[in-house]
Amino acid sequence: MLTATQETKTDLLRDLGLSDDSTFTALEKLTETESRYLRDLRVNLKSALAGETLTLKEAYLLALSAAANEENDVLSKAFEEKAIENGADQGEVAEAIACASLLATNNILYRFRHFANKDVYEQQPARVKMNIMMKPVLGKEFFELMSLAVSAINGCERCITSHEASIMQLGTTEPRIFDAIRVAAVVVGLSKILR
C-alpha cells in the first residue's frame, strides 16, 4: 500500500503527464522522507495553473517559457504537451521558448546597465534584435506578460518595470500579472525538484 506521500508523488507526475516510474533524485528524497512539502508543491502547481485570469493554454505556455528559462528539458516537454492539449499550436510553443531565450539576453544586458550605473553603458546601443516583440504570434499583451514573468525569474528590475508598464498600457490587470508571476515562481520551484 502506498503512503500519502507516495500517492502525492504519483499524482504530481501524472498531473505533468510523466510516467509513474520516472525517477528524480530530489523527488525521491522528498518521497522517502515523507516530506510534507511534496503535497504543498503539487497544490501550488495546480493552484497556479488554474489562475483566475489565465486560460489553461496561457498558463501552460507561461510554464513552458519558465521551464525553458530554467533549462529544464523534462518540464519543458511536459508543459509543451499540456499547452498543445489545451489549444496551443507549434508556432505558439516555439514563441514561448523564444521568449525565454530573448529575455535571458535582455535581462543580462539591462541588469548589467542597472547594476553598473554608468552613463557610458546607458549610451551604448543594445544591438540586440527583438523583432519577435513587434508582432508576436501570441499577441502583444501575452508576449509582454510572458516577458515580465521571465524577467521576474531572472531578477531584472529594469525589465520588470518596463514590461509591467507596457502590459498595463495594453489594458492588463494586476491580478492577471500576479497570476502569471505565480506560475513562473511555482515552475522554478518545481524545476529544483524535477531534474
Side-chain angles (χ1 to χ4, degrees):
M1 181 165 195
L2 295 177
T3 67
T5 305
Q6 289 168 328
E7 285 180 14
T8 300
K9 171 195 163 189
T10 298
D11 291 342
L12 175 62
L13 292 172
R14 286 184 185 161
D15 291 347
L16 293 165
L18 300 173
S19 169
D20 294 356
D21 59 357
S22 299
T23 304
F24 304 97
T25 304
L27 181 61
E28 295 308 318
K29 180 59 75 183
L30 292 174
T31 305
E32 289 168 8
T33 60
E34 295 290 318
S35 174
R36 291 179 295 169
Y37 177 68
L38 191 53
R39 183 177 186 286
D40 291 346
L41 185 59
R42 180 171 185 245
V43 169
N44 291 344
L45 179 63
K46 288 177 75 79
S47 172
L49 292 171
E52 296 175 15
T53 65
L54 299 170
T55 66
L56 277 175
K57 174 182 151 181
E58 289 172 331
Y60 282 117
L61 286 168
L62 280 161
L64 170 58
S65 195
N69 186 72
E70 293 299 294
E71 301 176 33
N72 188 310
D73 292 339
V74 170
L75 290 178
S76 292
K77 184 175 186 291
F79 290 131
E80 176 180 345
E81 289 174 6
K82 291 293 186 180
I84 290 169
E85 283 175 21
N86 285 279
D89 62 35
Q90 289 300 323
E92 292 169 325
V93 165
E95 197 162 88
I97 295 166
C99 180
S101 175
L102 173 61
L103 270 294
T105 302
N106 286 351
N107 293 159
I108 290 169
L109 181 65
Y110 289 101
R111 203 168 51 225
F112 169 77
R113 282 181 169 180
H114 176 80
F115 290 151
N117 196 26
K118 288 186 174 181
D119 287 340
V120 67
Y121 299 126
E122 294 292 338
Q123 294 167 3
Q124 297 292 318
R127 292 194 183 114
V128 173
K129 289 284 188 193
M130 296 182 274
N131 290 326
I132 193 172
M133 287 184 134
M134 298 304 114
K135 287 185 83 175
V137 171
L138 292 165
K140 186 74 170 155
E141 186 271 345
F142 188 69
F143 192 87
E144 286 286 336
L145 187 64
M146 232 176 0
S147 298
L148 175 61
V150 173
S151 295
I153 293 168
N154 293 334
C156 181
E157 179 182 355
R158 187 172 289 181
C159 292
I160 290 169
T161 301
S162 174
H163 290 296
E164 198 265 353
S166 177
I167 295 168
M168 293 302 292
Q169 288 177 348
L170 293 169
T172 299
T173 64
E174 284 94 351
R176 181 167 165 82
I177 290 169
F178 197 73
D179 280 348
I181 300 303
R182 202 160 51 108
V183 168
V186 171
V187 169
V188 170
L190 182 62
S191 184
K192 307 305 181 195
I193 305 300
L194 300 183
R195 286 205 171 269

